[in-house]
Amino acid sequence: MKAWIRNLSKQQLLIYILITVAFISSIIFVNHNHEFYDRPIAKITNTVETDKAETVDQHQNQDYRVTQEITAEIQNGSNKGEMIEITNEYSGSQAVDQLFDTGDEVFVTIDESTSSGTIEDVKRDKYLILVAWIFIIILLAVGKKQGALSVISLAVNAGILSLALDIYLQNSDLSLVIICGISIVLFTVISLLLVSGFNEKTYTAIVATLLGTLSSLLIGYFALSVTGEQGLRYEEMSFLSRNPQIVFMAGLLIGSLGAVMDVAITMSSSIFELYEKNNQISLKKLKASGIDIGKDIMGTMINVLFFAYVSGSIPMLLLYFKNASPIGFTLSMNLSIELARALAGGIGIVLTIPIAIYTSIFFIRRKRART
């Protein structure tokens, strides 16, 4: 350990110290930040199961319900330090309820007249910050400087997306698709410049990403207009007070960006790496190599996109099938929108490959002309 520390430069040692201090400080903070919340928080000190009953529904699905009597201590507000009694019911599946254990912290509403309370939600910030730090540490350990830039890029993009959605909520007369389109330009430029730097490879990836994503959107619009949106079920958006078609297209735009960007940077990096290894290579061979690389990554990236969209529908599929819903109705209700997004994104991936190839060749031609 001492030898490892001695081998570190002062800059590296300072970075490790700052990361360690930030990690410890954030963990301590989220475990003692109750006063920063307006809602009452209670820490569970004791739980007792008082009743357990088997349940069977009309489709013979078996489950059970358990009643818990919980004692908890208020952690903030004017009632801090007081003890309250809470009755909690949960099912074996815990689909819409939860089992609580001693030490859990929950948001509650308090009935002061009876010294009792009702659980509203779970305080999850300490778990979220721990998972976030695991992600960051692994990213830094593997990616070093690039990993740090990736973390910064992710944080900036999350802020941009949050700001874009807030602008739309405050100005409902603005088009969500246009807002998301502007956001995508910012996502692409900031992410690729931060991670890959200012060079021809990055410029190629930016152009290919934007053109590939735009192509995906235009094809999606064309397909919907030709088919009259037949087969798409917007019931999952029925709670929105906004146009579901616009929300769907904005989701398609954002959703396809990640896969398209991945393909674009992979293609541009591969082609420029081939050129750097042999700057006498012919453009014809570069194009052929790019096509071969594109064929190798095309299928896997489309599968990634498909599974990413469909995986979110698995709980609802199980729920529908468990309650004897017809398979056609179940699939159309839960997968029509996801499959449409996956197909549009897949088309964007396929189109990004030739776009990235020809854009790379364009920049390589310019590079050769300068030398």
Side-chain angles (χ1 to χ4, degrees), residues 51-70:
D51 184 51
K52 182 176 181 179
E54 301 288 337
T55 61
V56 180
D57 68 10
Q58 59 181 339
H59 300 292
Q60 302 305 308
N61 297 317
Q62 296 182 352
D63 204 347
Y64 62 86
R65 293 199 65 79
V66 179
T67 301
Q68 280 184 305
E69 295 298 334
I70 295 173

Side-chain angles (χ1 to χ4, degrees), residues 8-287:
L8 295 175
S9 66
K10 290 184 178 180
Q11 185 179 10
Q12 289 175 321
L13 186 60
L14 178 61
I15 291 172
Y16 285 126
I17 291 173
L18 289 175
I19 292 173
T20 303
V21 170
F23 171 74
I24 294 173
S25 301
S26 61
I27 295 297
I28 293 174
F29 174 76
V30 295
N31 281 277
H32 300 85
N33 63 348
H34 307 96
E35 297 298 337
F36 288 88
Y37 287 92
D38 295 328
R39 294 188 293 171
I41 299 170
K43 183 175 183 179
I44 296 174
T45 58
N46 187 48
T47 64
V48 178
E49 293 186 358
T50 59
D51 184 51
K52 182 176 181 179
E54 301 288 337
T55 61
V56 180
D57 68 10
Q58 59 181 339
H59 300 292
Q60 302 305 308
N61 297 317
Q62 296 182 352
D63 204 347
Y64 62 86
R65 293 199 65 79
V66 179
T67 301
Q68 280 184 305
E69 295 298 334
I70 295 173
T71 304
E73 181 182 357
I74 304 300
Q75 301 293 303
N76 62 337
S78 59
N79 301 104
K80 182 177 180 179
E82 296 181 8
M83 306 299 293
I84 59 171
E85 300 296 327
I86 302 170
T87 300
N88 176 57
E89 289 189 356
Y90 69 91
S91 60
S93 62
Q94 298 186 46
V96 293
D97 42 40
Q98 185 171 340
L99 163 68
F100 293 102
D101 293 314
T102 300
D104 290 343
E105 293 183 335
V106 294
F107 294 102
V108 296
T109 55
I110 303 172
D111 185 349
E112 297 184 8
S113 62
T114 60
S115 296
S116 62
T118 304
I119 295 175
E120 299 294 337
D121 199 0
V122 181
K123 185 175 182 289
R124 298 184 176 89
D125 53 359
K126 57 185 178 182
Y127 308 112
L128 291 175
I129 198 69
L130 181 60
V131 173
W133 269 113
I134 292 173
F135 168 71
I136 292 171
I137 290 171
I138 293 174
L139 198 59
L140 293 176
V142 175
K144 302 293 190 298
K145 180 182 177 180
Q146 296 302 105
L149 292 174
S150 298
V151 172
I152 295 171
S153 170
L154 181 62
V156 171
N157 287 340
I160 292 173
L161 180 60
S162 177
L163 178 62
L165 294 178
D166 187 59
I167 290 173
Y168 176 65
L169 291 174
Q170 300 299 324
N171 303 273
S172 57
D173 54 323
L174 297 177
S175 171
L176 181 60
V177 174
I178 293 176
I179 293 173
C180 288
I182 296 172
S183 301
I184 278 174
V185 175
L186 296 175
F187 293 155
T188 303
V189 173
I190 292 172
S191 298
L192 292 176
L193 288 179
L194 270 177
V195 174
S196 300
F198 292 81
N199 50 61
E200 287 89 349
K201 176 184 70 176
T202 304
Y203 305 148
T204 297
I206 290 173
V207 171
T209 299
L210 295 177
L211 290 179
T213 306
L214 178 62
S215 301
S216 175
L217 178 67
L218 293 177
I219 290 172
Y221 264 125
F222 175 75
L224 291 178
S225 62
V226 168
T227 61
E229 301 181 25
Q230 295 297 315
L232 286 181
R233 306 295 294 265
Y234 294 112
E235 280 80 354
E236 69 175 34
M237 303 182 191
S238 59
F239 57 88
L240 294 174
S241 58
R242 312 293 169 106
N243 187 328
Q245 290 86 351
I246 298 298
V247 176
F248 165 71
M249 295 306 300
L252 184 150
L253 197 59
I254 296 289
S256 62
L257 174 66
V260 168
M261 188 187 299
D262 194 1
V263 170
I265 192 63
T266 300
M267 293 299 302
S268 64
S269 295
S270 302
I271 293 173
F272 275 93
E273 183 67 19
L274 289 171
Y275 174 75
E276 294 299 331
K277 294 293 183 184
N278 178 15
N279 55 22
Q280 300 302 317
I281 189 173
S282 68
L283 297 180
K284 184 177 180 180
K285 287 185 177 180
L286 273 179
K287 179 182 174 182

